[in-house]
Amino acid sequence: SSSSSSSSPHSSSSHLFGTVNGVIGVVAPIKRKQYHFLKSVERALARVVKGVGGLRHNMFRSPALRSQEMKLEESKHFVDGDLVEKVLTLNPEDMQKISQILKQPVERIIRRVEAAARVH
């Protein structure tokens, strides 16, 4: 299923998808400036928050390509919204670390992530 976005004459459609595992997701266009901000939040979170099973988050999310050895490919050109939204549930100490990494006030980071979360 898809729905059109009318924020810009050059915007593309948002796409809602589901998987056989029961996951529901959305792929939506965002502006370049917002992408860079959210990607920086994602990278900062990956430095501060432990990933699932002790793996780095980008490796946990990467598709594995089977050959003689397992090779992990890092995803490109998308923001992991599940990871970025974790910033909204961080304890104050970890949130302060994120703020220092991004060189932005905590309140501004939270406000921008909440705005991005409303896309879906």
Side-chain angles (χ1 to χ4, degrees):
S1 162
S2 68
S3 60
S4 293
S5 173
S6 60
S7 62
S8 157
H10 301 295
S11 66
S12 58
S13 297
S14 296
H15 299 280
L16 182 66
F17 67 91
T19 69
V20 295
N21 297 339
V23 174
I24 296 174
V26 66
V27 178
I30 58 175
K31 295 190 182 306
R32 183 180 306 262
K33 184 176 178 179
Q34 186 179 27
Y35 168 80
H36 287 295
F37 168 74
L38 295 173
K39 201 65 177 170
S40 68
V41 171
E42 185 180 289
R43 283 191 293 270
L45 280 163
R47 289 174 55 186
V48 173
V49 177
K50 288 242 187 224
V52 176
L55 294 172
R56 291 191 332 253
H57 190 80
N58 64 337
M59 292 308 202
F60 170 73
R61 288 288 201 194
S62 295
L65 302 176
R66 302 265 176 210
S67 62
Q68 291 179 333
E69 60 189 57
M70 185 191 256
K71 180 180 176 188
L72 297 175
E73 295 288 328
E74 189 169 343
S75 60
K76 296 179 183 177
H77 308 296
F78 87 93
V79 176
D80 186 333
D82 288 340
L83 178 59
V84 170
E85 287 182 1
K86 283 186 181 194
V87 81
L88 302 174
T89 62
L90 290 178
N91 64 51
E93 181 182 329
D94 286 343
M95 190 62 223
Q96 194 57 44
K97 289 178 188 175
I98 299 295
S99 175
Q100 291 171 348
I101 292 168
L102 298 178
K103 296 178 176 63
Q104 293 190 29
V106 169
E107 299 77 23
R108 183 165 193 255
I109 296 167
I110 290 172
R111 189 173 56 249
R112 291 180 73 183
V113 170
E114 286 174 340
R118 287 191 290 271
V119 167
H120 67 286

